[in-house]
Amino acid sequence: MTHHVSSMLETYPKELGNIDQQKLAECIEACFECAQTCTACADACLAEDMVADLRQCIRLNLDCADVCAATGAVLSRQTGVNVETTRALLEACRAACKMCGDECASHADMHEHCRVCAEACRRCEQACAELLATLG
Amino acid sequence: MTHHVSSMLETYPKELGNIDQQKLAECIEACFECAQTCTACADACLAEDMVADLRQCIRLNLDCADVCAATGAVLSRQTGVNVETTRALLEACRAACKMCGDECASHADMHEHCRVCAEACRRCEQACAELLATLG
Amino acid sequence: MTHHVSSMLETYPKELGNIDQQKLAECIEACFECAQTCTACADACLAEDMVADLRQCIRLNLDCADVCAATGAVLSRQTGVNVETTRALLEACRAACKMCGDECASHADMHEHCRVCAEACRRCEQACAELLATLG
Amino acid sequence: MTHHVSSMLETYPKELGNIDQQKLAECIEACFECAQTCTACADACLAEDMVADLRQCIRLNLDCADVCAATGAVLSRQTGVNVETTRALLEACRAACKMCGDECASHADMHEHCRVCAEACRRCEQACAELLATLG
């Protein structure tokens, strides 16, 4: 998907402003990937025999999917400005990815889907932090 | 909708914890209402003859709709805990509603839909602030 | 919320076309209400001691929430036309609400949240059917 | 992203049933990609000097983004069954992608972002059609 994210940024008809285009593209991509992965991980946890022990993981998966989807959409817009919201949302997305990544990582040795999901959360958490750093 | 939001909170099968149930219900309701209203306001702005002057408003409407929808969904969950994400997301939602509400209010005398939308944004901004205050 | 949905339709700056405005407002309202209720019902099912027996219900809740949210957003737009998509999406929403409503109703006597959710699904299924009928 | 989509399908803890796993992964990937691309295309159209002539395109972009996001989420779930909804939603997604792809393609020579977006819509329309064919 990164190719398409970058293509859309490159074909934007006006100036993109001061934002780091590479970090922006990586963060958008990471948000959509994490939203998909967390949706699938909540579903895989639900299918586990020990689902009763995975309630906290499912909760964090569902929240993380919602926050990542909203963040990916907001970051995909360049027209006008909404810096304050973007910054606060990136903080929320970083928090959601950290909570979910920590939880998934804690039982990644038992559930392969949680291992894959923890990776997606880590990548998105990192991408949010890096984009935030460029926003000053 | 408030009735249904409250009904679902009342029928939750476990303890709801320390959260102020009335303020929670009001905030969930305000988020869904604001998401719908901002979606409709972006569309109404798009239909205006002076759409070229309403780009900033449409941008803020679309962002606000996305953030409110995510916040309303996260707040609708009581199983497990995700306080840090909830708090950061409420801050992002408050920021999105303030930006959009300010913009809509600034030309509310020209566009009735922006006047109605500014009200929904103010109510949601206020509901987020009040719920945040109860989270300590 | 119905008041706000109607207010936004009334302040739309152009003609609304041939659509039945009352039925449209009711369907938009029902979609947002059902999205919230299904999100909360999935979460309440997750909190139940017998969560392992409620997997099918949670699946249908989550799907119904996603479809209702998308349908509510698409119906909130009046600018331009997208009749074929609207019709197909209303059919999908009706199907999602029927599946979820049937499942929730089947154990509504055991779980109050499923009883409330079944009602929201029935109302939304009905609203979709009535709006579809007016689309010819 | 396809790698992650496939990884999550491969780590699902139960049988995946009769569904064509390759076509499912491609469709999930196409839905998320199309949702991102349409969100960005609506925003790029909004930034164009001739925005007043692009209202129909923006409308179709926003609808397509919402439908693709919902379809991608529903397809990401394997627990329980919801075939009727899945089929109806794939039909809606195919319709949304066709409408948006046709519109974008009609002025792809003037707007590079519409050319890129038309490709994403075509790919998603095709992926939905192929997955529908395997559902019988």
Side-chain angles (χ1 to χ4, degrees), chain B residues 96-113:
Chain B
C97 291
K98 178 169 174 32
M99 299 306 287
C100 191
D102 284 354
E103 176 69 27
C104 278
S106 73
H107 45 88
D109 53 338
M110 290 182 64
H111 305 114
E112 269 292 283
H113 48 85

Side-chain angles (χ1 to χ4, degrees), chain A residues 43 46-52 55 58-59 62, chain C residues 43 46-52 55 58-59 62:
Chain A
D43 180 74
L46 189 63
E48 294 282 359
D49 294 336
M50 59 182 285
V51 56
R55 290 180 174 107
I58 293 172
R59 162 68 192 271
L62 294 175
Chain C
D43 178 75
L46 189 62
E48 293 281 0
D49 294 337
M50 58 182 288
V51 56
R55 289 179 175 108
I58 293 173
R59 163 68 191 272
L62 294 174

